[in-house]
Amino acid sequence: MKRKKRRNIIIWSVVALIVVIAGYFSFIRPQQQAKRTVTVGIMAGSKQDDEIWNSVSKTAKDKYNVTLKFKRFTDYNQPNKALENGDVDLNSFQHKLFLQTWNKAHKTDLVSIGDTYITPIRLYSKQYKSVKEIPNGGTIAVPNDASNESRALFALKNAGLIDLKKGTKLATVNSISKNPRDLKIKELAADQTARSLDNVDAAVVNTNYAQAAGLNYKSAIFVEPINKDSKQWVNVIAVKGSEKNNKIYKDVVRAYQTEKTKQEIKKLYGTAEIPAWDLNFNK
């Protein structure tokens, strides 16, 4: 009788263990795996960016056991809405000033948890080969949206063409304190600045619009420098403020900020796009 009782205890112990294991693999483990799947909001249309994210995805999976999924957007107003609504876990499409401006306008608390890259804005000219050649009274085209106009004016300041009022953060033409060459600043839609080069002395053009217009970024007569003025243009990975300490999301940042990603960016973009997470902006 004792032997039979002992055998029954062993049998039921084995059954209980099987139930626990089955429960783990059917319920607990899938939930753990789901938590290690992260949906990233990015902009659609860039083959180069897709290749970079494919490389990051492999690193995230191989090194951190994190699976990345992507939701692509065509409208710059959508990725932050999706992040706020929980349709994506994090996004990567915007620079620091865009994020700051978005939070202020929409009363949201989205935060950066890691830098990705910076795409320096450039000054182009079809008539002149250097900034020094731009004549007195010349006309320079700049983008007319608040963010890019400010960036363009800071670039002109760093090129030594104008000065801005002390303490300026978001620059407009009214922020210009000195204009020794009496330059005329022509404000145009950002996608029109490259096309204006036949009619102006020079134009500040965003890299994506320069590429679309067939401009070689290496032909620029001035490149936005890496310094304290350009720090606000660094692109970031953003999350909800409540998720800023999420370890899995930080693993995604670690997967991005690698030597492998640096090499991918260099291969695909040359120096048109620069990895920014270890740059020194305090110049």
Side-chain angles (χ1 to χ4, degrees):
M1 181 67 72
K2 288 183 179 180
R3 185 177 298 173
K4 184 177 180 180
K5 186 176 180 180
R6 189 180 302 115
R7 184 178 63 189
N8 287 340
I9 290 173
I10 293 172
I11 291 171
W12 282 110
S13 296
V14 171
V15 169
L17 181 61
I18 292 171
V19 169
V20 169
I21 292 173
Y24 173 79
F25 280 98
S26 64
F27 180 72
I28 297 174
R29 188 171 181 182
Q31 284 205 331
Q32 289 176 341
Q33 288 295 105
K35 288 178 182 178
R36 298 199 72 83
T37 298
V38 177
T39 302
V40 185
I42 59 176
M43 297 305 295
S46 171
K47 182 180 177 181
Q48 294 97 322
D49 283 352
D50 284 347
E51 288 189 42
I52 290 167
W53 277 110
N54 287 340
S55 174
V56 174
S57 292
K58 188 174 187 312
T59 301
K61 185 65 177 176
D62 292 348
K63 193 168 182 180
Y64 301 103
N65 193 29
V66 176
T67 300
L68 297 186
K69 292 185 177 181
F70 298 96
K71 187 166 185 177
R72 291 170 170 80
F73 300 91
T74 56
D75 180 349
Y76 279 91
N77 288 311
Q78 295 305 313
N80 280 338
K81 289 181 181 178
L83 182 56
E84 184 67 21
N85 294 337
D87 294 333
V88 298
D89 299 306
L90 52 83
N91 66 38
S92 182
F93 78 102
Q94 64 196 321
H95 53 57
K96 293 181 178 182
L97 183 61
F98 188 101
L99 178 60
Q100 178 185 332
T101 304
W102 177 276
N103 279 330
K104 187 175 181 180
H106 296 85
K107 296 180 172 57
T108 49
D109 180 32
L110 307 180
V111 300
S112 164
I113 57 169
D115 296 344
T116 54
Y117 61 87
I118 184 170
T119 307
I121 204 167
R122 288 169 164 82
L123 181 67
Y124 295 86
S125 176
K126 286 190 174 180
Q127 301 181 55
Y128 309 108
K129 294 183 178 180
S130 74
V131 170
K132 292 180 181 180
E133 293 179 11
I134 297 174
N136 291 345
T139 299
I140 297 180
V142 300
N144 65 1
D145 61 284
S147 175
N148 282 312
E149 179 171 11
S150 179
R151 187 175 189 179
L153 292 173
F154 271 104
L156 296 181
K157 170 204 156 190
N158 281 292
L161 292 169
I162 61 172
D163 278 342
L164 298 174
K165 295 174 183 176
K166 188 176 181 180
T168 296
K169 292 184 178 179
L170 191 64
T172 68
V173 290
N174 293 325
S175 306
I176 298 173
S177 59
K178 291 182 181 179
N179 185 357
R181 299 195 201 180
D182 195 27
L183 298 170
K184 297 177 180 64
I185 306 299
K186 187 173 184 178
E187 298 163 293
L188 299 172
D191 62 353
Q192 296 299 311
T193 53
R195 295 173 184 170
S196 74
L197 280 167
D198 289 330
N199 304 306
V200 298
D201 294 285
V204 181
V205 186
N206 296 78
T207 298
N208 57 327
Y209 293 124
Q211 290 174 336
L215 290 175
N216 186 336
Y217 71 90
K218 294 179 181 179
S219 70
I221 62 173
F222 183 78
V223 181
E224 176 182 55
I226 301 300
N227 62 18
K228 61 183 179 181
D229 287 338
S230 58
K231 187 175 182 179
Q232 60 190 324
W233 313 118
V234 171
N235 281 54
V236 299
I237 294 173
V239 300
K240 284 185 177 181
S242 59
E243 296 288 346
K244 64 184 179 182
N245 295 316
N246 186 304
K247 182 183 181 302
I248 295 175
Y249 297 167
K250 287 185 176 182
D251 284 342
V252 176
V253 173
R254 293 185 186 97
Y256 194 105
Q257 295 178 346
T258 64
E259 186 62 31
K260 182 182 176 185
T261 305
K262 279 187 181 181
Q263 294 305 316
E264 283 293 314
I265 292 174
K266 183 177 181 181
K267 179 181 76 174
L268 295 166
Y269 284 104
T271 57
E273 186 171 290
I274 304 170
W277 53 88
D278 56 5
L279 292 177
N280 177 16
F281 288 90
N282 298 317
K283 299 176 184 177

